[in-house]
Amino acid sequence: MELQIRLDREIPIYTNQDAVSGEVILYTESAISVSTINATLSGTATSRLNSGKATEVHHLFDRAQQVFPPQEFIQNVNYSSLTVGCGRHAFPFSIPFPQVSECYKPDMSKNRSKARTWRRPTVHLLRKLPPSTGQRGDAAEINYFVDVTISGRNIPNEWKSSTRDIFFYPLSEPMPYQEPLKEQQSMPVSPRALECPTPLSYQIDIHLLNGPCLILHQPIPLTITITKIGEPNCLICLNDFQTMLVETTHVQTQGVTESFTRFWVVQSTANMNIGIDMDNAPSGSIITLPDGLWASQPLPAMLTPSFEICNIKRSYKLQIRLGLRLGLYQTLVRDFHFPVYVMAPNSTGFESYEREPSIDLIDFK
């Protein structure tokens, strides 16, 4: 006997606007007695500490659909099992994703993991479903899968199942208007770089135009201005420019919380020697750096959106570094830090993946 999970998508990537659909395909060389065939769409959030010795599993949701026998048959016939003849049999299913987690429900606390787990979490958060992330054994793992079970009297061990992992990528709603975020720093010029005793400094202002919201696969929306404070003239050049996201994953297991940090360099450019012409400009003059420096650099494709669920939280900070040369000898480096919320786009183009069906084969012998 062979049991297949056939998905309608060649690449099993789904969003919160989708339903996971396909067929359960049963091959049998002889007639068998089948009680039920069920397809279940599930999601889990697993946190691990101390090399996996402490594990906490939250079942985000379970959505089940009985694909055999059909519901209209069950309502009219009293049965314990039905005979399925030899050959190929296909049973379609279609299960939508919920919009929020459902681990607060009592039946979600059932733990299927063989690891020692925290079976009664004290806190459940009602949140949008988080994206797939992590791998087996990672400190933070969020996994989605389709599970198919078949039961019957003459099926080996009277019960068989197969599981197919899928990838979940939630889309964001259209972003509302956000007030820009601003950070400001001063750069005093050393008297050695000036030809007169009058003090001179420059003020750098960085604005995040969409507030704390950054969208994956798009460049960082920002403006950088430099204001001259003082009358003397001084050569000023932009030498270095870097943008980097600091990803922090907070993992909670059995009441203990640990954090793991990862750095994602969006752009790093050195030795540019771009002159900023403010000679003979009066005090208070403002110049805006050209956005061509960063407008062609989208956020890394491997990032996951910011999220928070019962036992796992992922957040980001944006670091912008400017290195400027003042005069012939003075070099100053300024770091700007912004707490940001990384969002998925509201469209992905995953529709292009719907070309050939994807099949997972499990052979029961």
Side-chain angles (χ1 to χ4, degrees):
M1 182 179 70
E2 294 178 357
L3 184 66
Q4 294 181 358
I5 300 175
R6 176 189 177 276
L7 299 178
D8 288 344
R9 294 190 175 182
E10 178 185 9
I11 300 178
I13 302 177
Y14 299 87
T15 76
N16 49 314
Q17 301 173 1
D18 295 327
V20 179
S21 58
E23 291 180 325
V24 178
I25 301 176
L26 175 65
Y27 291 94
T28 178
E29 296 180 354
S30 60
I32 59 173
S33 179
V34 177
S35 298
T36 59
I37 301 177
N38 292 310
T40 304
L41 175 63
S42 302
T44 60
T46 304
S47 53
R48 302 178 180 91
L49 296 177
N50 194 18
S51 301
K53 295 179 181 178
T55 302
E56 181 172 321
V57 179
H58 287 248
H59 286 265
L60 302 178
F61 69 93
D62 283 324
R63 291 288 178 93
Q65 180 181 345
Q66 181 170 305
V67 300
F68 180 84
Q71 288 295 327
E72 57 271 17
F73 183 88
I74 298 174
Q75 295 172 357
N76 298 321
V77 178
N78 184 16
Y79 82 103
S80 59
S81 64
L82 296 174
T83 299
V84 176
C86 64
R88 178 187 184 275
H89 306 274
F91 308 99
F93 66 88
S94 181
I95 308 174
F97 285 92
Q99 294 304 305
V100 296
S101 61
E102 299 176 347
C103 54
Y104 60 89
K105 295 183 178 181
D107 58 343
M108 292 292 105
S109 62
K110 182 180 178 181
N111 193 340
R112 302 172 185 172
S113 174
K114 295 181 180 180
R116 183 166 60 89
T117 58
W118 184 248
R119 293 182 178 273
R120 292 187 179 180
T122 57
V123 177
H124 289 293
L125 299 179
L126 185 64
R127 296 288 188 271
K128 292 184 177 181
L129 293 177
S132 299
T133 188
Q135 300 177 355
R136 306 288 185 188
D138 285 355
E141 178 193 356
I142 295 175
N143 186 38
Y144 296 87
F145 53 91
V146 177
D147 182 75
V148 174
T149 59
I150 178 172
S151 62
R153 286 182 298 178
N154 58 344
I155 294 175
N157 301 325
E158 297 187 356
W159 184 85
K160 286 294 181 182
S161 69
S162 63
T163 301
R164 177 69 184 274
D165 288 340
I166 61 175
F167 187 86
F168 180 70
Y169 186 91
L171 301 181
S172 298
E173 298 294 331
M175 186 174 59
Y177 172 76
Q178 301 285 328
E179 288 288 341
L181 292 183
K182 174 184 175 181
E183 187 173 338
Q184 183 181 93
Q185 293 193 34
S186 178
M187 293 192 310
V189 180
S190 170
R192 293 177 53 197
L194 301 176
E195 298 178 353
C196 65
T198 306
L200 174 66
S201 65
Y202 293 94
Q203 176 181 293
I204 303 177
D205 293 275
I206 296 184
H207 293 79
L208 286 185
L209 301 181
N210 291 340
C213 298
L214 302 182
I215 300 178
L216 288 175
H217 315 301
Q218 295 187 14
I220 299 171
L222 59 88
T223 60
I224 302 176
T225 60
I226 298 178
T227 303
K228 183 180 180 182
I229 302 175
E231 296 297 338
N233 292 325
C234 178
L235 175 68
I236 177 172
C237 293
L238 176 64
N239 271 352
D240 308 306
F241 179 77
Q242 177 178 282
T243 53
M244 180 173 66
L245 282 170
V246 182
E247 173 192 288
T248 303
T249 303
H250 309 272
V251 176
Q252 178 175 296
T253 301
Q254 301 185 14
V256 178
T257 301
E258 290 188 12
S259 298
F260 304 88
T261 301
R262 188 173 183 180
F263 300 92
W264 299 86
V265 176
V266 181
Q267 177 183 3
S268 184
T269 308
N271 302 318
M272 293 186 294
N273 198 31
I274 298 176
I276 300 173
D277 186 9
M278 301 191 79
D279 281 352
N280 301 317
S283 179
S285 297
I286 300 174
I287 191 168
T288 301
L289 297 186
D291 63 2
L293 290 172
W294 56 83
S296 61
Q297 298 291 329
L299 296 186
M302 297 299 293
L303 285 174
T304 58
S306 303
F307 68 87
E308 182 180 14
I309 202 65
C310 309
N311 54 336
I312 303 172
K313 177 182 178 181
R314 179 159 295 165
S315 59
Y316 292 91
K317 289 184 179 180
L318 172 65
Q319 181 191 81
I320 301 174
R321 173 171 293 179
L322 297 178
L324 295 108
R325 180 163 56 88
L326 305 176
L328 297 177
Y329 308 106
Q330 184 181 8
T331 300
L332 293 178
V333 176
R334 291 291 185 265
D335 289 332
F336 298 78
H337 300 272
F338 297 90
V340 293
Y341 189 87
V342 176
M343 303 173 61
N346 53 33
S347 177
T348 61
F350 288 154
E351 296 81 3
S352 62
Y353 294 140
E354 299 182 30
R355 295 188 296 271
E356 297 293 335
S358 175
I359 295 180
D360 188 45
L361 176 63
I362 305 295
D363 187 4
F364 298 129
K365 295 182 178 179

